[in-house]
Amino acid sequence: YTPNLISVNAGPDTIVCNNTPVIPLTGTVAIAMGGTWTSSGSGTFSPSPDSLITSYIPSGADTVAGSVTLTLTTTGNGGCAGSSDYLLVTFSAPPSVSAGSDTIVCFSTDTIWLTGSVANAGGAVWSTNGSGTFSPEDSALNVGYVPSVADFLNETVTLYLSTYQSCYNLVDSIRIDIVPGVMVWPSDTIVCTDADTIPEIGSASRR
């Protein structure tokens, strides 16, 4: 028994926008002399389907169908059985995402509630330029942001909502301005955030 060492890799599945004119392909083979590309659709390969590194030009029918399978089959196998691999190209409308409108909150706000929306994507993830946390999780569109002490002291924070599993990544942002108010210090002293000094009140006794 002689194992067949011929292998082929067509590349990973991909998502492209439905107006993408050209899809670059980079196939690889081992042992075999080369490979040939074929399509389940009606597009064409340029410069040639017999080049491992080539491009696929989808047809209008490919785009309407929503996906196309591209197969790479080895050639020049030296009497051994050939091998094939395929990749799935999915056509998608361009994504859209909204993080909501900029807003102002009071210094005493514990949680800032967010309502994001996304279309033509697998979902979206929240992130911050501050150091607060998202609850219950950053991948939920409707989520609460819990500002950190640093966020409060900076009096502003920007939150970002980024799409994933879309034909390209799209980001929207929302600015949160925090209105200064009162702050409880570890000593339980309440002072205004614009106070120049923090009064200290204590007592002493002699024995």
Side-chain angles (χ1 to χ4, degrees):
Y1 169 74
T2 302
N4 186 1
L5 300 179
I6 292 176
S7 63
V8 58
N9 187 343
D13 295 344
T14 187
I15 300 173
V16 300
C17 293
N18 52 19
N19 58 353
T20 300
V22 177
I23 302 166
L25 302 171
T26 303
T28 59
V29 299
I31 306 299
M33 298 297 294
T36 297
W37 291 95
T38 56
S39 170
S40 65
S42 54
T44 58
F45 295 91
S46 178
S48 169
D50 298 322
S51 299
L52 293 178
I53 299 176
T54 189
S55 296
Y56 182 71
I57 303 173
S59 66
D62 291 345
T63 303
V64 171
S67 65
V68 64
T69 300
L70 306 180
T71 303
L72 179 60
T73 303
T74 60
T75 58
N77 302 307
C80 296
S83 183
S84 297
D85 188 34
Y86 68 90
L87 66 88
L88 178 67
V89 177
T90 301
F91 299 97
S92 172
S96 64
V97 62
S98 174
S101 302
D102 295 345
T103 188
I104 300 173
V105 300
C106 294
F107 198 88
S108 57
T109 302
D110 294 328
T111 303
I112 301 167
W113 295 104
L114 307 169
T115 303
S117 62
V118 63
N120 302 320
V125 176
W126 290 96
S127 59
T128 174
N129 71 343
S131 52
T133 58
F134 295 94
S135 177
E137 57 185 5
D138 58 8
S139 59
L141 290 177
N142 300 329
V143 68
Y145 180 73
V146 182
S148 66
V149 172
D151 292 343
F152 281 120
L153 294 177
N154 289 333
E155 298 181 4
T156 187
V157 64
T158 300
L159 309 178
Y160 303 92
L161 185 60
S162 308
T163 64
Y164 61 86
Q165 292 181 0
S166 48
C167 60
Y168 62 85
N169 293 330
L170 188 63
V171 181
D172 190 32
S173 64
I174 176 174
R175 177 188 171 106
I176 309 293
D177 289 322
I178 303 172
V179 176
V182 296
M183 182 173 182
V184 179
W185 293 81
S187 61
D188 292 338
T189 300
I190 301 177
V191 298
C192 291
T193 56
D194 57 356
D196 294 329
T197 60
I198 301 174
E200 293 184 0
I201 301 175
S203 61
S205 62
R206 294 181 59 185
R207 294 184 180 179

